Amino acid sequence: GKNGVPVAENFRLEQSTIADTVQAGQVRVKTLYLSVDPYMRCRMNEDTGSDYLQPWQLSEVADGGGIGVVEESKHQNLAKGDFVTSFTWPWQTVAILDGDSLQKLVPQLVNGRLSYFLGAAGITGLTALLGIREKGHVAAGANQTMVVSGAAGACGSLAGQIGRLEGCSRVVGIAGTDEKCSILVQEMGFDAAINYKKGDVAKQLRELCPGGVDVYFDNVGGDISDAVISQMNQNSHIILCGQISQYNKDVPYPPPLPADTEKIQKERNITRERFLVLNYMDKQEASVLQLCQWIQEGKLKVRETVIEGLANIGAAFQSMMNGGNIGKQIVSVSK
């Protein structure tokens, strides 16, 4: 249901068989890693609210970002042993896929950490980097302050670091536990972090962002975003990445702002436009190389929460939707 909170029991594991033969243009792959992401909650609705997302079908195999290794190939550009990825990888241990739907990976670009291609060097990292570059209007030397909500999550933890690398002089994160806030500051270079479950968020923002907020990387929406927008400067910018606080509710996307918040947005000329990384895929290759370079140089710190076993993917999904993980949520399937 549109207003339901997903739980592990929404998923079930089945044993089945696949075809014995690989047809021309196909490859047989062994799944290594699967990505679990907030946007997938929208795919649990008959109407996903988006023309680029198709709903999962009842009693059919779910799919999403995945990585595997080719075991048998009848595709001219793929060979046995190649590592490949797809945004529509089926949630199964072995699959026969159309070779044209797969992208070959170079493990050396991420120091051999293949799972990074689902996170920091994949669609998550691209969302953070392209969101900041296309919607954040960050300029080196402009003394800008960035605030990131959902800052300990897969995208937020990267966005704060990338904001700094792109030129922001101050970066403040908002997360849900003291542990997450500590990691943001001590490990990922945020100047400060707010535990939104403790104290008045708007009051803390006034103290930590005395010059106001110039760029807001919004992953959550709701009351937290209202508090941030109240502190934003004239002609500032909201990067509308996600609204996870609203995903279990029957509301349009992006959700409308409360009247008082909308008034602030209009009076201060704050931009707030829907952002889709898929609209900027002409910049994908150069952007991935930039992300990989930062990873190799140690400038981009990566956190992953890895869950072992396909049987646990439902529990991983539930945990991710409850904000229980730090960084990217990955399910390791191979073991």
Side-chain angles (χ1 to χ4, degrees):
K2 285 191 173 184
N3 294 301
V5 178
V7 293
E9 290 72 29
N10 293 140
F11 302 87
R12 71 172 183 265
L13 184 67
E14 292 184 351
Q15 283 198 324
S16 186
T17 57
I18 61 172
D20 292 330
T21 57
V22 176
Q23 303 295 326
Q26 293 181 328
V27 295
R28 176 187 172 100
V29 292
K30 177 183 179 182
T31 305
L32 299 176
Y33 299 103
L34 295 171
S35 178
V36 181
D37 302 286
Y39 81 87
M40 292 174 171
R41 173 61 184 88
C42 303
R43 302 190 68 187
M44 299 176 80
N45 297 335
E46 200 167 344
D47 177 8
T48 65
S50 172
D51 54 5
Y52 72 95
L53 283 181
Q54 297 302 310
W56 284 332
Q57 299 300 313
L58 291 175
S59 296
E60 298 290 336
V61 178
D63 68 288
I67 290 172
V69 60
V70 176
E71 293 188 321
E72 181 184 349
S73 176
K74 290 190 177 177
H75 187 278
Q76 59 182 1
N77 296 327
L78 296 173
K80 183 178 179 179
D82 283 346
F83 295 105
V84 290
T85 187
S86 168
F87 193 59
T88 56
W89 196 286
W91 286 10
Q92 54 195 62
T93 56
V94 178
I96 293 176
L97 304 175
D98 179 357
D100 288 341
S101 70
L102 302 172
Q103 181 180 355
K104 189 154 51 171
L105 300 174
V106 182
Q108 293 87 344
L109 288 175
V110 288
N111 300 324
R113 297 292 296 270
L114 275 172
S115 57
Y116 284 10
F117 284 116
L118 292 179
I123 199 78
T124 310
L126 285 171
T127 300
L129 177 58
L130 291 171
I132 288 167
R133 287 184 171 175
E134 300 297 330
K135 297 295 183 182
H137 302 273
V138 173
N143 196 32
Q144 292 165 299
T145 293
M146 172 185 279
V147 170
V148 182
S149 59
C155 198
S157 60
L158 299 172
Q161 298 179 76
I162 292 170
R164 170 85 75 203
L165 290 166
E166 289 290 286
C168 286
S169 58
R170 185 165 180 78
V171 179
V172 176
I174 303 174
T177 69
D178 290 341
E179 178 194 9
K180 291 178 178 179
C181 289
S182 176
I183 288 170
L184 291 175
V185 174
Q186 296 180 14
E187 185 177 312
M188 297 184 171
F190 284 62
D191 292 285
I194 296 169
N195 181 348
Y196 70 86
K197 295 179 181 177
K198 290 185 175 180
D200 185 326
V201 173
K203 179 175 182 293
Q204 294 177 76
L205 281 170
R206 283 193 293 273
E207 295 169 354
L208 294 172
C209 308
V213 177
D214 302 294
V215 185
Y216 173 37
F217 199 99
D218 185 5
N219 285 304
V220 302
D223 293 342
I224 290 174
S225 289
D226 295 339
V228 178
I229 293 169
S230 72
Q231 309 300 316
M232 294 187 75
N233 293 324
Q234 195 74 24
N235 303 318
S236 53
H237 305 282
I238 299 169
I239 303 165
L240 193 59
C241 178
Q243 302 281 276
I244 195 169
S245 72
Q246 309 298 304
Y247 285 171
N248 298 319
K249 303 175 184 177
D250 185 8
V251 294
Y253 188 87
L257 296 170
D260 291 347
T261 305
E262 186 177 21
K263 182 180 179 183
I264 291 172
Q265 182 208 347
K266 290 181 176 178
E267 288 178 348
R268 299 181 191 173
N269 193 35
I270 301 169
T271 63
R272 181 182 183 258
E273 301 168 343
R274 186 171 186 174
F275 165 70
L276 294 176
V277 70
L278 298 177
N279 291 343
Y280 302 96
M281 296 318 282
D282 59 316
K283 301 181 180 180
Q284 176 186 5
E285 186 175 351
S287 299
V288 168
L289 289 174
Q290 174 66 85
L291 292 163
C292 291
Q293 181 182 337
W294 282 335
I295 291 169
Q296 290 175 340
E297 294 172 348
K299 293 180 179 178
L300 196 60
K301 308 293 184 184
V302 182
R303 273 273 186 156
E304 292 180 322
T305 300
V306 180
I307 309 297
E308 297 287 345
L310 184 61
N312 296 315
I313 199 165
F317 190 91
Q318 178 178 334
S319 173
M320 178 270 302
M321 287 301 300
N322 289 332
N325 60 301
I326 297 175
K328 182 71 178 181
Q329 188 97 330
I330 301 284
V331 174
S332 175
V333 179
S334 59
K335 296 179 181 178

